[in-house]
Amino acid sequence: MSKWIESEIRLRLNETIDKSVEDQIKKEKVHWKGVLERIIEAVKTLAKNNLAFRGDNEKIYQKNNGIFLSIIEMMAKHDPTMREHLRRISNGEIHYHYLGHNIQNELIQMLANEVKSAMIRRIKDAKYFAVILDCTPDISHMEQMSLVIRCVDVSTTTIQVEEFFLQFLKVEDTTGSGLFEELEEGLVTLQLDIGDCRGQGYDNGSNMKGKRKGVQKRLLDKNPRAFYMPCGCHSLNLVLCDMANSCNKAISFFGVLQRI
């Protein structure tokens, strides 16, 4: 009973035997929280400015180790938290340092998901939207379809029309049916109601603008209020191509350039 009473008094006064251990654990928590905050800020800065993260190696204080590690090294010169962190790494006191490419990629993905969620919230606040699609092959010759949502952004003080690029959709079937299925599945994944679509804009390909089997016709069958408008840039490109083909001087000029 006396030991229990003594223990109760020690707990109340924060004078237990493991007090020093608890203080060390709290100190470590504060240290690692500070390290992660600084790493996240470095990732946000590089991502915002569209800069490459990695160089020829991933080791601190070595030549050509990339912009990310260079920023970390610069922080260590002026910041005690990061200086202590790099000291532990250099002396081999810790193995998990959170400076490798895996943590960088994970943080980038988490930030991207947060940005994407914020854009989707704005689209849902606007309720009605238009879809803009375009396809292009990537380096592996896999066809990709970019999904852009256009809506009236009501979240800002000055209400204005905004366009949000949300994702690339991998396309295996480039027919009107295949592209529409990818679009429909993409909207479901983003939790956007296809019934709220009020506009659609594509290039002048038959699989996109086709009056019978194109994407625009299939979307109109689902939602008659989704008004179709051909992409102005693609239409202008076709006009310029036709203008060039009707001019002998232009044909000769571009023909010479192509042969060169």
Side-chain angles (χ1 to χ4, degrees), residues 219-235:
L219 181 52
L220 285 173
D221 291 341
K222 283 269 186 179
N223 180 7
R225 297 183 178 181
F227 180 72
Y228 168 66
M229 176 66 68
C231 174
C233 294
H234 284 91
S235 299

Side-chain angles (χ1 to χ4, degrees), residues 115-153:
V115 171
K116 187 175 180 180
S117 298
M119 291 190 295
I120 292 174
R121 284 196 297 270
R122 291 189 181 187
I123 296 169
K124 288 183 177 180
D125 289 341
K127 186 174 177 61
Y128 301 114
F129 60 89
V131 294
I132 303 174
L133 304 178
D134 197 10
C135 294
T136 184
D138 60 14
I139 193 171
S140 63
H141 304 290
M142 175 66 72
E143 196 74 17
Q144 291 189 120
M145 182 167 64
S146 60
L147 174 59
V148 177
I149 299 294
R150 182 181 175 93
C151 67
V152 178
D153 187 3

Side-chain angles (χ1 to χ4, degrees), residues 77-145:
K77 292 181 180 179
H78 308 282
D79 182 74
T81 301
M82 195 56 70
R83 186 184 306 122
E84 171 64 15
H85 185 58
L86 294 193
R87 185 195 66 77
R88 294 182 183 184
I89 298 173
S90 300
N91 295 339
E93 297 178 15
I94 55 176
H95 179 65
Y96 298 103
H97 47 69
Y98 298 104
L99 298 180
H101 64 274
N102 289 329
I103 188 67
Q104 295 173 30
N105 294 339
E106 185 176 348
L107 290 173
I108 292 170
Q109 188 60 52
M110 291 172 65
L111 292 171
N113 291 338
E114 186 61 30
V115 171
K116 187 175 180 180
S117 298
M119 291 190 295
I120 292 174
R121 284 196 297 270
R122 291 189 181 187
I123 296 169
K124 288 183 177 180
D125 289 341
K127 186 174 177 61
Y128 301 114
F129 60 89
V131 294
I132 303 174
L133 304 178
D134 197 10
C135 294
T136 184
D138 60 14
I139 193 171
S140 63
H141 304 290
M142 175 66 72
E143 196 74 17
Q144 291 189 120
M145 182 167 64

Side-chain angles (χ1 to χ4, degrees), residues 33-74:
K33 181 181 179 181
V35 169
L36 285 175
E37 286 176 347
R38 288 155 177 79
I39 291 175
I40 291 172
E41 286 301 320
V43 170
K44 286 170 62 178
T45 300
L46 293 178
K48 182 173 67 175
N49 292 279
N50 198 26
L51 296 173
F53 279 62
R54 296 182 281 278
D56 297 336
N57 62 77
E58 296 184 43
K59 297 181 180 179
I60 59 172
Y61 299 124
Q62 290 203 8
K63 188 177 180 181
N64 298 327
N65 58 0
I67 302 177
F68 175 78
L69 291 181
S70 295
I71 290 179
I72 298 298
E73 293 169 7
M74 181 191 67

Side-chain angles (χ1 to χ4, degrees), residues 2 4 8 14 46 51 67 69 76 88 98 112 117 131 147 156 170 178-179 185 195 202 218 243 247 256-257:
S2 63
W4 182 81
E8 184 182 22
N14 196 22
L46 293 178
L51 296 173
I67 302 177
L69 291 181
R88 294 182 183 184
Y98 298 104
S117 298
V131 294
L147 174 59
T156 57
K170 287 189 176 180
L179 295 175
E185 184 177 344
Y202 320 121
R218 295 177 186 276
M243 289 173 60
C247 176
V256 172
L257 286 182

